[in-house]
Amino acid sequence: MTGLTAAGLEFTRDGELARLTFTRPDKKNAISYEMWSAIPSIVAEVEADTSMTALLLSGQGADFSAGADIGEFRTLRATPDGATAYDKAVDGAVRAITALRKPSIAMIAGNCIGGGCQLAVACDFRLAADNARFGITPAKLGIVYDYVSTRQLVSLIGPAHARYFLLAGQLIDATRAREIGLVGETYPVADLPEAALEFVRVLGSRSQFSVRGINRVIEKVLSGQQDTDEEIERIRAEAIHGADYAEGVSAFLERRKPNFTYR
């Protein structure tokens, strides 16, 4: 495993898996402006590297992330221009993760609150430890949550639960998070890392052309698109004429595991 550590983030490569870890455990992995700003370039590197098949987000120590570093707000968000610049950095990080064609997985233990939960919701999958707790708290700070993240939250858990999160700002535990669809699976704390890696292996065993093409279609659906378009039809046509399709059908008929080659 090799990687780069900077600005409260550690970006490493573990085989075909890219890992992005929040590394401020003394501050419950609060996300600074510098960290928000660095995320898009990291995600772009994952997208461009054909040897990487997935991105795993996690926090160092006991927590995923307690959210944005509010200690910066009195300086960086002290003026309208400062608040706009800060929000632009947050929006850029969320949009980068949302647009990533390769699967993104949030591996969540402990606190997953505010901006931390915002990034987790932007991921394709959320796997949680049974000690995790979740909340999004703009109403405690006099902030109106941004449109893209609100839409993502409503799409994931429905408007009633989204209102509970955003208007009341109360926290829920991992069991309740799974009940409302915020997380896909929960595990004992000690079992979470291996469970997440096993899920990554499953994703890596599938046709990567299919995975990335389907992820693009889902992104369009969640953005409100009502019907197919030229890009979707092109992706589907390329799939039918691609090597992965031929291999997948042959493997099924021959009752063996497929050896997909698209990267």
Side-chain angles (χ1 to χ4, degrees):
M1 183 187 299
T2 59
L4 172 68
T5 303
L9 294 172
E10 183 180 50
F11 176 49
T12 60
R13 175 177 170 178
D14 186 1
E16 295 183 338
L17 175 63
R19 291 178 177 266
L20 179 58
T21 307
F22 305 121
T23 58
R24 302 179 76 197
D26 57 320
K27 292 185 176 291
K28 299 184 184 297
N29 293 319
I31 305 169
S32 68
Y33 175 80
E34 189 176 359
M35 292 163 69
W36 289 115
S37 301
I39 288 173
S41 61
I42 292 172
V43 173
E45 182 174 340
V46 174
E47 189 77 272
D49 191 332
T50 58
S51 67
M52 294 181 179
T53 60
L55 173 65
L56 183 69
L57 274 68
S58 63
Q60 187 180 83
D63 298 297
F64 180 75
S65 173
D69 187 347
I70 298 175
E72 296 183 327
F73 282 18
R74 283 186 172 176
T75 54
L76 298 183
R77 292 179 62 96
T79 66
D81 287 345
T84 297
Y86 193 98
D87 289 346
K88 185 177 180 180
V90 175
D91 183 65
V94 170
R95 287 180 182 270
I97 292 174
T98 300
L100 181 64
R101 298 282 188 91
K102 299 174 183 180
S104 53
I105 305 100
M107 186 176 73
I108 303 161
N111 287 304
C112 181
I113 300 170
C117 195
Q118 188 174 5
L119 287 179
V121 168
C123 290
D124 298 321
F125 304 97
R126 286 150 298 282
L127 308 178
D130 53 16
N131 74 339
R133 61 178 194 160
F134 303 83
I136 303 176
T137 56
K140 290 184 176 181
L141 299 170
I143 294 171
V144 175
Y145 208 44
D146 75 274
Y147 179 80
V148 170
S149 293
T150 301
R151 185 191 68 214
Q152 290 175 341
L153 186 66
V154 171
S155 297
L156 184 62
I157 64 177
H161 295 309
R163 283 192 175 99
Y164 179 88
F165 254 50
L166 297 176
L167 277 62
Q170 295 188 356
L171 306 186
I172 64 172
D173 63 18
T175 299
R176 183 60 177 155
R178 183 176 180 181
E179 288 174 352
I180 67 174
L182 182 61
V183 300
E185 298 289 345
T186 58
Y187 304 90
V189 176
D191 297 343
L192 177 62
E194 181 54 37
L197 290 178
E198 177 56 31
F199 185 63
V200 168
R201 285 190 283 267
V202 169
L203 292 171
S205 72
R206 307 312 187 207
S207 163
Q208 295 306 296
F209 190 93
S210 293
V211 166
R212 294 168 201 175
I214 292 168
N215 231 5
R216 177 58 174 154
V217 175
I218 291 173
E219 181 187 352
K220 285 175 173 280
V221 171
L222 293 178
S223 72
Q225 183 169 317
Q226 297 297 310
D227 206 346
T228 190
D229 61 17
E230 291 184 4
E231 182 185 8
I232 292 173
E233 292 309 308
R234 175 183 56 78
I235 290 171
R236 297 185 71 242
E238 289 178 0
I240 290 296
H241 294 93
D244 275 9
Y245 172 73
E247 170 62 12
V249 171
S250 295
F252 180 84
L253 294 175
E254 296 166 12
R255 298 185 178 182
R256 60 175 175 82
K257 291 183 179 180
N259 181 27
F260 295 120
T261 57
Y262 180 87
R263 285 293 183 268

